[in-house]
Structure formats: C-alpha cells, structure tokens
Amino acid sequence: MTDTSEHTERPTNTRNTGPGRLLIAVYAIFAISATARAGYQILTKFSDAPLAYLLSAFAAVVYVVATVSLAKAGRTWFKVSLVAVLVELVGVIVVGALSLFDSVQFPHETVWSAFGRGYAFVPLILPILGLIWLYRRRPSAPAA
C-alpha cells in the first residue's frame, strides 16, 4: 500500500500554473506596455504632465514587480505579489478618481486614468483577479 499523504499537500508554488500563467502573461504585457509608454512620455513630453507621467512610470514598476513575483516560488515572493497587487488596486482607484475629479493635474492619461478606461478597464479588473488568485493559491502554513 502506498502512502498518499504526500500527494494531498499543496505544491510549493501553484501561482504560476494553470490560469496563473494567463494572469502572469497579462501582467507581463502590462509591464512592457506601461514601461514603454512611461519611458516615451517622460523622454518626449515630461513638462506637459509630469505627475501623470511619473504615475505611469510607477505603474510600470508595479506591473514588473507583480509579474516577477507571481512567477516565483516561495512565501517571500507570495508576500511581494500580494503587496504589488494591493498597491496596484489602490493606485488604480486613487489615480482613477483623481483623474476624473482633478483633470488639471492629469491633462494626459496614464495607465490608471479613469480606472483604466483607455485599456478597457483591465487595470481595474486585473488586481481584483490577482487578489482572488493569490487567495486561492496562498501558501499553506509551515509544518510545526
């Protein structure tokens, strides 16, 4: 008879399997596009909307960190993922609201402007899906 107890434990990293791969791919696309957009905006027209362009660069960094941390195994990377996705959600909500109510500070759009309207609201939906995925794939408690 074989012992099946070791098959019931969660693998050390299940965040980068199944639907997690799609989530990581979307984060990677946003990391690349936000980085390119912010880089172009900062290099070519920074004086037009410095706050908006710096926030675009910040969003790019958040997407890069989320992409890498979701793909990596371990408790530390899980925590980094959680923080990155939470920062993203707060950023989308705050920048989204500010861009609607204080358009003077946001004469040009960022990735998170109007809650990601320019990106079909994916920037608003993505962190919600990310948090659900992280909750479902959270690491099990260490053995005592």
Side-chain angles (χ1 to χ4, degrees):
M1 203 190 270
T2 59
D3 179 19
T4 59
S5 64
E6 58 187 300
H7 297 292
T8 60
E9 292 180 23
R10 281 189 191 168
T12 56
N13 183 25
T14 60
R15 293 187 314 275
N16 63 5
T17 61
R21 288 184 181 181
L22 178 60
L23 186 68
I24 293 167
V26 174
Y27 268 103
I29 291 167
F30 270 81
I32 293 166
S33 65
T35 300
R37 178 181 184 156
Y40 174 78
Q41 290 170 327
I42 289 170
L43 290 173
T44 61
K45 47 190 175 180
F46 182 73
S47 61
D48 293 353
L51 178 61
Y53 299 153
L54 288 174
L55 286 170
S56 284
F58 178 73
V61 170
V62 170
Y63 286 125
V64 168
V65 170
T67 302
V68 171
S69 63
L70 283 166
K72 297 282 190 173
R75 290 183 158 299
T76 301
W77 286 111
F78 173 82
K79 291 175 186 176
V80 172
S81 296
L82 186 60
V83 169
V85 174
L86 283 170
V87 167
E88 175 194 6
L89 180 60
V90 170
V92 171
I93 291 170
V94 170
V95 172
L98 287 174
S99 66
L100 294 176
F101 297 116
D102 189 7
S103 59
V104 172
Q105 291 297 319
F106 295 89
H108 299 188
E109 287 203 358
T110 72
V111 176
W112 293 341
S113 291
F115 307 104
R117 178 180 54 205
Y119 293 88
F121 298 101
V122 172
L124 180 61
I125 297 165
L126 190 59
I128 295 167
L129 294 176
L131 289 172
I132 291 168
W133 183 251
L134 286 168
Y135 177 78
R136 290 184 176 175
R137 300 300 179 171
R138 65 194 180 277
S140 54

